Amino acid sequence: MYTIIYMKADYEPWWKFEGWETFIQTNETFETEEQFESALQRKLQHFRLTYDNEVTKEGFWAFWSEDESVFCEACDDDVQIYHGIIALKSEE
């Protein structure tokens, strides 16, 4: 089973802070590795064309543009919004 998760939060996806699941925008599951890889490449290409910045860690991608932020009341400042892709391959 192969899964691609897209999350939108004020931190990069590899942190997976408590409650990170509430930031999931889409969760796609694929039966074959070929379907998974094709969908992942299409999604990454879309995000690369849409956002100015990208950082990658094994199985995680974070995309953002400097002009996309929200005000954080707890920190009394603006925080960056990140669009995270998580690619999961489970051995079944």
Side-chain angles (χ1 to χ4, degrees), residues 5-20:
I5 296 171
Y6 161 48
M7 64 177 285
K8 181 178 173 183
D10 59 355
Y11 54 87
E12 295 92 339
W14 48 83
W15 292 111
K16 285 186 166 180
F17 292 125
E18 184 177 335
W20 73 274

Side-chain angles (χ1 to χ4, degrees), residues 16-51:
K16 285 186 166 180
F17 292 125
E18 184 177 335
W20 73 274
E21 296 92 343
T22 62
F23 296 104
I24 292 175
Q25 304 294 303
T26 62
N27 187 336
E28 301 172 88
T29 303
F30 303 90
E31 292 294 324
T32 69
E33 187 168 9
E34 293 78 24
Q35 293 170 328
F36 166 77
E37 288 295 339
S38 177
L40 179 60
Q41 292 310 312
R42 281 193 310 274
K43 191 170 289 289
L44 293 175
Q45 184 62 25
H46 167 75
F47 279 80
R48 287 175 177 141
L49 292 171
T50 305
Y51 301 100

Side-chain angles (χ1 to χ4, degrees), residues 1-4 21-23 26 33 35 37 39 41 48 51 54-55 57 60 64 71 74 84-85 89:
M1 191 68 72
Y2 304 90
T3 305
I4 300 171
E21 296 92 343
T22 62
F23 296 104
T26 62
E33 187 168 9
Q35 293 170 328
E37 288 295 339
Q41 292 310 312
R48 287 175 177 141
Y51 301 100
E54 175 184 355
V55 174
K57 294 193 180 213
F60 297 91
W64 72 96
F71 185 75
I85 302 296
K89 297 180 184 182

